[in-house]
């Protein structure tokens, strides 16, 4: 069974500090990681391959340093995974729909894909649009917030999953091929083995650009995008003015209760 | 200027974000000579139309069909898409709850229009939508601009814009439209639905009481939950507590959990890793209870208690029990 795992490289928010603010972190050359949510998607993909055979192709669109993220993925998945880098200066500044267009073309080029897996969102752009839009463009059913894959029926081409809703859980079935976005409960991502890391470091990863994918410049990048983000700034600093309340538990409770009732938050 | 404001509901109850969304649509319309059309999709939902108008819409369009009883992205998406194609609204707004964050990108992709997600502010600038949204887990703020001449879409984050009081003297046109897909055309079937009973979802809660590594075990959540209950709030947790299997994942607040913005957030025994702060630091008032005076949680807190949560949390519970009787 052909699986695709969509993976984005994102800034490493664990490096945020007084000196490394959000803007510095996002800037060129800042520390990068595999989007944490996408590790769960890849783990799900590897498990599906272990159960049903086939291969999981990791697709990542981004700047050249995205190669590092793909290698991290290959180190996790070993022989069960392949990777393709979707890189082209023409892709830069794509909004979520242009990004989805590029990914959709690449999925078609991989060919005969049964399940496309994505993370819940990318921790940088954080639109959570891309995977839904990939499904919409490919005309595939979309199942979001998946916490459990109950059954994949390869012959009948169906999949049954449990989705987390805000107020409950839903068991739902649909036809394959389908796009899924997964949550953490699906299973902890495995660690890369030492051998895996060594092999991945030497792997030759193909690059597909706009030409290879048959995309014209006016449907991708800043040209094709319908939204732009010309003004990105640091959020206003919250003036927290910490007030430490000291004393025995009973006294502290009285003082704090007075303050919270005065703040009208209770 | 015509603005669509799309309603969402769960098992017949309107999601509060729908009223917040129609309120901000009202603000944009009032400033720009516009009209607000509430769009309601579901089954047996016609009474929601009146309520939408009372909360700020000028008129409502109801698509009532058995296929729309539960949210299914394709069924709802195709219905909204057709309506948008027929009516060409200038702006389509949805609440950024889990359904809205699926429905909006689906329609935007099929309609070929731009979408700003999870916005905290919306204005009209030069006849065009200008959206403000956090990115990078709230560590940057971005202004989103739209290409002119097409419909513009946005989803509104919960609890950033207040709903209007219902005004029952407001009236307006209520019309109907049809669903697009028949049951046979919809590949996705819901086999079972299980509602989490007796719990307040983290998203809706105006008060959240959370526990972290400091609660030191599954039983340690009992006093935290008791405080949440007395305040009528929801229970939350840090990743450390979830990873230790003391509490299920759905309670996790933070970068790989939920982003919340309650009026009051009480952090018990939570050190305040940057990933946790990302999920809660925009709460209105933050109270931190921690043994370690250097814990980073105090950097975002309004009130701090340096001490043992097992002494202070029960004292707070007892105090509020008295006050809130
Ligand atoms: C500050 C800022 C604000 C932005 N605001 C908007 C906005 O409001 N609307 C908009 O349309 N665009 C916006 N963008 C652009 C958007 O970030 C990019 O289009 C991005 O390529 C995709 O969106 P995302 O990062 O939100 O990913 P999401 O849609 O959150 O990602 C969901 C999943 O899709 C997959 N995926 C996403 N990107 C890739 C990729 N490059 N390669 C492989 N898989 C991927 C991953 O599995 C990921 O987990 C913004 C960008 C910035 C920097």
């Amino acid at each position: 069974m052909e699986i695709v795992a969509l993976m984005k490289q994102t800034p490493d928010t664990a490096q945020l500090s007084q000196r490394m603010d959000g803007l510095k972190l996002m800037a060129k050359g800042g520390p990068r990681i595999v989007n944490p949510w996408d590790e769960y998607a890849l783990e799900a993909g590897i498990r599906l391959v272990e159960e049903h055979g086939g291969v999981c192709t990791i697709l990542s669109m981004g700047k050249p340093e995205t190669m590092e993220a793909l290698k991290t993925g290959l180190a996790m998945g070993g022989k069960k995974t392949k990777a393709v880098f979707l890189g082209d200066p023409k892709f830069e500044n794509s909004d979520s729909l242009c990004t989805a267009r590029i990914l959709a073309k690449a999925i078609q080029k991989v060919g005969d894909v049964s399940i496309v897996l994505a993370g819940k969102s990318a921790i940088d752009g954080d639109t959570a649009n891309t995977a839904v839009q990939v499904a919409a463009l490919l005309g595939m059913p979309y199942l979001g917030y998946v916490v459990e894959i109950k059954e994949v029926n390869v012959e009948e081409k169906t999949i049954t999953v449990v989705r987390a809703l805000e107020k409950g859980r839903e068991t739902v079935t649909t036809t394959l091929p389908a796009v899924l976005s997964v949550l953490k409960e699906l299973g902890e991502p495995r660690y890369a083995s030492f051998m895996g890391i060594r092999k991945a470091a030497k792997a030759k990863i193909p690059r597909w650009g706009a030409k290879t994918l048959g995309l014209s410049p006016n449907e991708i990048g800043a040209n094709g995008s319908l939204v732009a983000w010309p003004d990105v700034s640091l959020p206003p600093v919250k003036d927290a003015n910490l007030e430490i309340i000291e004393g025995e538990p009973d006294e502290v409770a009285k003082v704090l209760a007075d303050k919270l009732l005065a703040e009208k938050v209770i | 200027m015509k603005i669509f404001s799309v309603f969402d509901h769960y098992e017949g109850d309107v999601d509060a974000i729908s009223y917040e969304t129609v309120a901000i649509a009202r603000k944009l319309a009032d400033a720009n000579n516009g009209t607000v059309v509430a769009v309601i999709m579901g089954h047996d939902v016609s009474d929601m139309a009146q309520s939408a108008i009372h909360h700020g819409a000028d008129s409502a369009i109801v698509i009532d069909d058995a296929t729309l009883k539960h949210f299914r992205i394709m069924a709802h998406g195709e219905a909204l898409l057709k309506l948008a194609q027929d009516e060409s609204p200038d702006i389509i707004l949805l609440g950024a709850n889990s359904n809205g964050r699926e429905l909006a990108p689906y329609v935007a992709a099929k309609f070929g229009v731009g979408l700003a997600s999870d916005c905290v502010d919306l204005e009209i600038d030069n006849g065009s939508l200008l959206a403000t949204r956090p990115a990078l887990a709230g560590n940057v703020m971005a202004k989103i601009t739209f290409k002119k001449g097409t419909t513009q879409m946005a989803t509104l984050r919960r609890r950033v814009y207040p709903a209007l009081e219902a005004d029952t003297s407001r009236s307006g046109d209520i019309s109907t439209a049809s669903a697009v897909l028949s049951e046979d055309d919809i590949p996705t079937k819901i086999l079972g639905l299980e509602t989490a009973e007796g719990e307040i979802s983290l998203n809706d809660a105006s008060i959240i009481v959370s526990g972290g590594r400091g609660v030191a075990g599954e039983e340690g959540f009992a006093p935290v939950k008791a405080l949440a209950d007395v305040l009528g709030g929801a229970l939350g947790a840090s990743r450390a507590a979830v990873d230790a299997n003391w509490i299920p994942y759905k309670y996790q607040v933070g970068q790989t959990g939920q982003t919340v913005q309650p009026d009051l957030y009480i952090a018990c025994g939570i050190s305040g890793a940057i990933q946790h702060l990302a999920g809660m630091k925009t709460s209105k008032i933050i109270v931190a209870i921690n043994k370690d005076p250097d814990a980073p949680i105090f950097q975002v807190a309004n009130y701090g208690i340096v001490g043992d949560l097992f002494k202070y949390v029960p004292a707070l519970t007892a105090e509020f029990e008295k006050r809130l009787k």
Side-chain angles (χ1 to χ4, degrees):
Chain A
M1 193 166 55
E2 287 295 329
I3 308 285
V4 161
L6 300 177
M7 175 188 276
K8 188 181 183 187
Q9 189 188 46
T10 58
D12 180 3
T13 45
Q15 307 296 324
L16 284 165
S17 66
Q18 300 280 20
R19 259 175 294 148
M20 177 74 87
D21 63 31
L23 286 178
K24 289 191 186 127
L25 186 69
M26 282 177 103
K28 198 168 179 262
R32 296 290 182 265
I33 49 168
V34 171
N35 177 36
W37 292 106
D38 297 350
E39 291 190 10
Y40 300 104
L42 175 56
E43 176 63 30
I46 298 169
R47 289 186 192 188
L48 283 169
V49 168
E50 283 169 345
E51 201 174 324
H52 301 281
V55 67
C56 175
T57 304
I58 311 167
L59 296 178
S60 191
M61 190 273 275
K63 304 231 169 92
E65 55 268 30
T66 299
M67 280 292 187
E68 289 310 310
L70 287 168
K71 287 186 173 165
T72 306
L74 287 178
M76 265 174 75
K79 283 204 189 96
K80 295 159 207 138
T81 44
K82 282 198 286 198
V84 179
F85 170 50
L86 308 175
D88 194 320
K90 293 192 186 75
F91 293 164
E92 279 180 30
N93 294 317
S94 286
D95 66 4
S96 69
L97 184 50
C98 288
T99 304
R101 200 169 278 139
I102 296 161
L103 295 173
K105 279 279 187 190
I107 291 163
Q108 283 173 326
K109 191 169 158 63
V110 170
D112 205 26
V113 173
S114 298
I115 301 175
V116 178
L117 295 155
K120 185 189 113 168
S121 69
I123 58 168
D124 53 349
D126 201 16
T127 65
N129 293 346
T130 309
V132 177
Q133 297 191 313
V134 166
L137 294 176
L138 292 172
M140 290 184 190
Y142 176 82
L143 300 173
Y145 317 106
V146 172
V147 290
E148 185 189 345
I149 297 177
K150 283 196 116 97
E151 194 199 15
V152 177
N153 190 324
V154 183
E155 277 85 61
E156 307 214 324
K157 293 201 161 79
T158 58
I159 183 167
T160 305
V161 307
V162 179
R163 303 198 320 124
L165 309 180
E166 284 180 44
K167 294 202 164 85
R169 303 210 141 189
E170 177 184 273
T171 306
V172 57
T173 187
T174 199
T175 53
L176 295 177
V179 179
L180 274 60
S181 85
V182 307
L183 295 183
K184 185 175 169 171
E185 265 172 86
L186 217 59
E188 277 303 309
R190 66 196 63 200
Y191 288 106
S193 68
F194 180 67
M195 275 304 285
I197 294 168
R198 277 187 51 177
K199 281 216 174 107
K202 283 187 250 154
K204 277 219 146 60
I205 297 175
R207 182 186 71 87
W208 295 349
K211 259 217 184 102
T212 322
L213 293 173
L215 287 159
S216 83
N218 58 14
E219 51 182 350
I220 49 174
N223 273 338
S225 291
L226 298 158
V227 300
W229 42 101
D231 172 2
V232 181
S233 58
L234 292 175
V237 242
K238 189 180 150 192
D239 189 10
N241 266 335
L242 173 66
E243 183 180 337
I244 296 279
I245 305 171
E246 284 171 301
E248 287 305 306
D250 299 358
E251 302 161 29
V252 169
K254 281 203 184 75
V255 176
L256 186 61
D258 285 339
K259 302 222 180 241
L260 294 180
L261 290 165
E263 298 266 14
K264 294 198 180 354
V265 291
I266 290 179
Chain B
M1 173 172 290
K2 190 191 310 187
I3 305 177
F4 271 11
S5 181
V6 180
F7 269 61
D8 186 39
H9 49 89
Y10 182 80
E11 299 283 277
D13 291 330
V14 175
D15 188 321
I17 184 65
S18 302
Y19 295 129
E20 296 162 16
T21 309
V22 77
I24 203 165
R26 180 77 265 149
K27 177 194 86 163
L28 298 180
D30 285 345
N32 296 278
N33 233 331
T35 55
V36 178
V37 182
V39 177
I40 295 153
M41 295 180 279
H43 191 40
D44 296 330
V45 288
S46 31
D47 45 334
M48 285 178 202
Q50 205 52 263
S51 167
I53 291 168
H54 292 161
H55 282 89
D58 294 300
S59 61
I61 301 175
V62 180
I63 308 180
D64 196 315
D65 197 275
T67 57
L68 302 175
K69 182 167 194 305
H70 297 290
F71 176 76
R72 282 183 294 179
I73 181 168
M74 218 181 251
H76 285 70
E78 291 299 325
L80 180 58
L81 174 67
K82 172 83 172 30
L83 199 61
Q85 285 163 340
D86 290 349
E87 302 266 327
S88 334
D90 300 282
I91 294 173
I92 305 177
L93 301 182
L94 299 91
N97 64 357
S98 58
N99 291 347
R101 289 191 81 172
E102 293 192 345
L103 186 54
Y106 182 92
V107 172
K110 288 254 170 155
F111 203 20
V113 305
L115 168 63
S117 301
D118 202 22
C119 301
V120 294
D121 197 17
L122 298 169
E123 321 154 57
I124 305 288
D125 181 42
N126 245 322
S128 200
L129 192 59
L130 177 65
T132 306
R133 62 179 300 264
L136 199 71
N139 288 292
V140 299
M141 226 14 125
K143 294 255 190 235
I144 308 295
T145 57
F146 289 78
K147 210 166 243 181
K148 285 227 159 106
T150 60
T151 298
Q152 309 179 335
M153 291 184 71
T155 58
L156 179 73
R157 181 176 278 203
R158 277 185 194 279
R159 304 173 51 78
V160 297
Y161 196 82
L164 297 165
E165 291 286 331
D167 173 358
T168 48
S169 70
R170 288 180 59 87
S171 65
D173 263 5
I174 298 174
S175 55
T176 58
S178 311
V180 172
L181 300 182
S182 70
E183 191 55 48
D184 289 345
D185 302 326
I186 305 168
T188 303
K189 308 291 174 198
I190 296 170
L191 305 178
L193 190 64
E194 193 189 312
T195 300
E197 292 292 345
E199 272 181 33
I200 306 165
S201 121
L202 282 174
N203 291 295
D204 290 343
S206 53
I207 298 177
I208 296 175
V209 187
S210 276
R213 202 187 296 278
V215 306
E218 209 177 323
E219 315 76 43
F221 268 96
V224 179
K225 172 143 200 322
L227 179 57
D229 285 347
V230 108
L231 294 172
L235 183 63
S238 73
R239 176 171 181 163
V242 172
D243 282 353
N245 280 323
W246 300 339
I247 186 164
Y249 167 65
K250 66 174 177 180
Y251 294 100
Q252 186 177 318
V253 172
Q255 184 162 283
T256 48
Q258 306 202 46
T259 304
V260 298
Q261 196 164 18
D263 293 336
L264 174 61
Y265 189 92
I266 304 182
C268 311
I270 292 180
S271 65
I274 204 117
Q275 285 83 354
H276 186 76
L277 301 185
M280 48 62 76
K281 71 178 176 192
T282 54
S283 305
K284 197 165 156 205
I285 297 289
I286 296 170
V287 176
I289 306 170
N290 202 301
K291 269 191 204 156
D292 173 9
D294 297 324
I297 189 79
F298 288 117
Q299 289 165 18
V300 300
N302 304 79
Y303 299 105
I305 300 172
V306 180
D308 182 359
L309 76 94
F310 292 105
K311 296 210 176 87
Y312 287 91
V313 172
L316 279 170
T317 307
E319 184 64 28
F320 281 115
E321 223 152 41
K322 271 189 260 162
R323 304 275 188 117
L324 300 173
K325 232 184 349 223

